[in-house]
Amino acid sequence: MPIEYSPNIQAGGKIKLEPEKKSRFNPEKLSAFFNEQLALKASYYNQIYGQDWLDERGCLRMPENHPDKESDQELINIQEQAWAAESGKSVEKWREDKEKNPATLTEAALTLMLQRVLPDNFMVVRSSAYDDYNNGVDQLIIDRESGAVVCGIDEVIDRQGNTGPSKKEEKIRQKMVRGGAKVKYGARVEVGNLVLGGLKNVPAFYLSLSSQELAILGDNLQKKEVSVYERDLLNRLHSSLSAQLSGYASLNLSQDLQVKLQDFLQSLEKWL
């Protein structure tokens, strides 16, 4: 199925925002605020479908009755123990510090922003720890009208001074060539009902913010009303995703993935 892309967009373009003002970056306060807001939104999403499918961090839960839950949780524990040991920390300290590092804060900030600015027919949720660690998916965007998971997002903090495609960008392109992202603990909507289960051929994208942009976004998210800055950021994220879509046109992708990219393109048109 042919896909029409937005003209005059350079694939892989970075999001560059005009500086608004210098913002004091306080990871502890930002993390606490983000977690509070994510818990409120998770409660709202849970109420919509009458299921406790998201935890207090807005992440998809691994269902208790899933046959692999116990073994997958053990794998998560082993991975976290290994990463904690590499950094010379206890697992508890490693988890605490992880909540405050720029990559985690970027993921939380963009999740909250998209939840605030996208139309109500979209749900933006964080993936389970299993899919974050093992399938490279941080976020899922679900179109409640079509019922589809239109894309999987991997946020990356933008390191200043980089030129050309990053390792992360190339990794995502290779993932698309192999058929798109896989999500073991996913969710979709069928005839108005939430269905939990695995997903395949999910279009994969990345979103990126610099440390300064993250700090400014954090300030704006604490305002009651959606700010001009957030609207401007949405426009720029939209352009970045459109550029990535355009770049995927040159790849030899499976038919199933091309169909889902067309679905994402149609959903993307409803963002603004």
Side-chain angles (χ1 to χ4, degrees), residues 15 19 41 53-54 74 78 89 103 119 141 160-161 168-169 177 206 210-211 219 222 227 229 245:
I15 304 163
K41 197 66 175 184
W53 60 294
L54 298 174
E74 181 61 24
I78 292 171
K89 302 174 183 177
I141 300 178
Q160 298 296 325
K168 175 75 76 172
E169 292 166 334
V177 171
Y206 69 90
S210 70
S211 297
D219 285 345
Q222 295 177 63
S227 65
Y229 186 87
L245 263 173

Side-chain angles (χ1 to χ4, degrees), residues 201-232:
N201 303 126
V202 179
F205 299 88
Y206 69 90
L207 297 176
S208 177
L209 292 180
S210 70
S211 297
Q212 180 184 1
E213 291 162 356
L214 172 58
I216 296 172
L217 177 57
D219 285 345
N220 280 267
L221 287 170
Q222 295 177 63
K223 298 175 181 178
K224 185 175 181 180
E225 302 295 332
V226 174
S227 65
V228 173
Y229 186 87
E230 291 170 85
R231 294 292 183 192
D232 183 53

Side-chain angles (χ1 to χ4, degrees), residues 36-52:
E36 174 188 345
Q37 297 302 308
L38 287 166
L40 290 173
K41 197 66 175 184
S43 177
Y44 170 71
Y45 285 160
N46 286 340
Q47 290 173 12
I48 289 177
Y49 295 105
Q51 296 187 48
D52 192 28

Side-chain angles (χ1 to χ4, degrees), residues 62-72 184-185 196-198:
M62 298 189 295
E64 291 295 332
N65 60 355
H66 196 287
D68 296 338
K69 182 182 186 298
E70 186 174 338
S71 60
D72 286 345
K184 187 167 187 177
Y185 297 99
L196 302 178

Side-chain angles (χ1 to χ4, degrees), residues 3 13 24 39-41 47 55 67 90 103 116 129 134 153 171 199 213 217 233-234 243 252:
I3 300 174
R24 297 184 65 182
L40 290 173
K41 197 66 175 184
Q47 290 173 12
D55 67 16
S90 67
R116 276 162 60 97
N134 299 288
I153 298 293
K171 184 177 179 180
L199 306 167
E213 291 162 356
L217 177 57
L233 178 55
L234 178 65
N252 184 21

Side-chain angles (χ1 to χ4, degrees), residues 26-166:
N26 188 318
E28 291 79 8
K29 288 185 177 180
L30 275 182
S31 178
F33 173 75
F34 290 166
N35 287 336
E36 174 188 345
Q37 297 302 308
L38 287 166
L40 290 173
K41 197 66 175 184
S43 177
Y44 170 71
Y45 285 160
N46 286 340
Q47 290 173 12
I48 289 177
Y49 295 105
Q51 296 187 48
D52 192 28
W53 60 294
L54 298 174
D55 67 16
E56 67 280 358
R57 295 173 58 250
C59 298
L60 277 149
R61 294 185 184 276
M62 298 189 295
E64 291 295 332
N65 60 355
H66 196 287
D68 296 338
K69 182 182 186 298
E70 186 174 338
S71 60
D72 286 345
Q73 184 60 58
E74 181 61 24
L75 175 60
I76 291 169
N77 294 339
I78 292 171
Q79 289 173 314
E80 292 186 343
Q81 289 166 7
W83 292 325
E86 286 177 4
S87 61
K89 302 174 183 177
S90 67
V91 174
E92 291 73 19
K93 178 61 174 173
W94 179 86
R95 288 172 178 164
E96 179 184 337
D97 289 347
K98 179 177 180 289
E99 286 296 299
K100 297 178 287 187
N101 73 38
T104 301
L105 291 173
T106 297
E107 176 189 331
L110 285 174
T111 298
L112 285 171
M113 191 213 76
L114 291 172
Q115 288 173 344
R116 276 162 60 97
V117 300
L118 287 184
D120 289 341
N121 57 289
F122 289 97
M123 294 189 296
V124 185
V125 300
R126 301 166 84 183
S127 67
S128 68
Y130 177 88
D131 286 304
D132 182 6
Y133 297 164
N134 299 288
N135 288 323
V137 177
D138 289 340
Q139 221 181 42
L140 296 175
I141 300 178
I142 304 170
D143 187 329
R144 292 170 61 191
E145 288 182 352
S146 69
V149 174
V150 292
C151 69
I153 298 293
D154 190 347
E155 281 90 7
V156 290
I157 195 74
D158 186 15
R159 305 300 181 188
Q160 298 296 325
N162 288 344
T163 59
S166 68

